[in-house]
């Protein structure tokens, strides 16, 4: 049976599900869910790593993921994990990396079905023209995440 935990993040309440076989999903909610008082043992490491990410102490995740999806979706999600922290790529570049430039729509669709908010960094995929394109969590969250990972340089006061 899948266990659940709800944690507060700077972007709202995140819902984590999983069991002894790994994390099956991490999503951001637009509802007023209350934080979990007790975090199930199988989800504790995920909660800890997400907190480190938001505290600026973690740039990649080391979790056992157990997603449900097609083989193609899993290939896309794996490719997303290879986008470096603080960097972006486009759907076109991702399609080329996966070996089929014509699969751009399928890649975009799989990206949109990514079950692992932040952990599999679909927020790092932007339009070929550099624009922020669709994001299930809302474009304001995508912008926040990209700025969190690549903050603007502090201008010198002197």
């Amino acid at each position: 049976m899948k266990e659940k935990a709800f944690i507060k993040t700077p972007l709202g309440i995140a819902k984590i599900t999983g069991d002894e076989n790994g994390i099956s999903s991490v999503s951001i909610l637009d509802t007023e869910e209350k934080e979990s008082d007790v975090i199930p043992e199988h989800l504790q490491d995920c909660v800890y790593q997400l907190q480190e990410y938001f505290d600026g102490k973690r740039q990649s995740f080391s979790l056992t993921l157990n997603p449900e999806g097609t083989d193609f979706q899993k290939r896309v999600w794996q490719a997303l994990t290879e986008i470096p922290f603080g960097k972006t790529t486009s759907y076109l570049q991702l399609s080329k990396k996966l070996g089929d430039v014509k699969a751009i729509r399928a890649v975009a669709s799989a990206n949109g079905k990514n079950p692992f908010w932040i952990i599999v960094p679909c927020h790092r995929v932007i339009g070929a023209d550099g624009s922020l394109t669709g994001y299930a969590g809302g474009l304001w969250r995508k912008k926040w995440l990209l700025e969190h990972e690549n903050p603007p340089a502090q201008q010198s006061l002197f």
Side-chain angles (χ1 to χ4, degrees), residues 23-95:
I23 303 300
S24 51
S25 71
V26 177
S27 56
I28 187 71
L29 305 177
D30 283 322
T31 59
E32 289 300 316
E33 192 68 44
K34 124 180 168 36
E35 281 186 88
S36 298
D37 293 326
V38 177
I39 304 296
E41 181 182 348
H42 299 302
L43 308 181
Q44 289 176 0
D45 195 32
C46 183
V47 169
Y48 179 73
Q49 289 188 36
L50 282 168
Q51 288 171 334
E52 283 187 324
Y53 171 86
F54 284 113
D55 289 343
K57 298 175 183 169
R58 176 173 289 276
Q59 295 186 356
S60 63
F61 294 88
S62 175
L63 298 164
T64 300
L65 303 179
N66 188 21
E68 290 184 22
T70 67
D71 289 343
F72 179 78
Q73 288 171 330
K74 290 176 183 179
R75 280 185 49 226
V76 172
W77 300 335
Q78 177 58 43
L80 292 172
T81 66
E82 297 165 14
I83 305 169
F85 182 89
K87 302 291 183 196
T88 58
T89 192
S90 70
Y91 292 106
L92 179 60
Q93 290 169 318
L94 203 51
S95 298

Side-chain angles (χ1 to χ4, degrees), residues 122-152:
C122 58
H123 61 277
R124 295 179 189 154
V125 182
I126 59 175
D129 62 358
S131 63
L132 293 186
T133 53
Y135 185 65
L139 289 181
W140 71 272
R141 286 188 179 110
K142 183 172 188 161
K143 183 176 188 289
W144 190 98
L145 290 167
L146 292 173
E147 288 175 353
H148 175 69
E149 294 184 4
N150 197 3

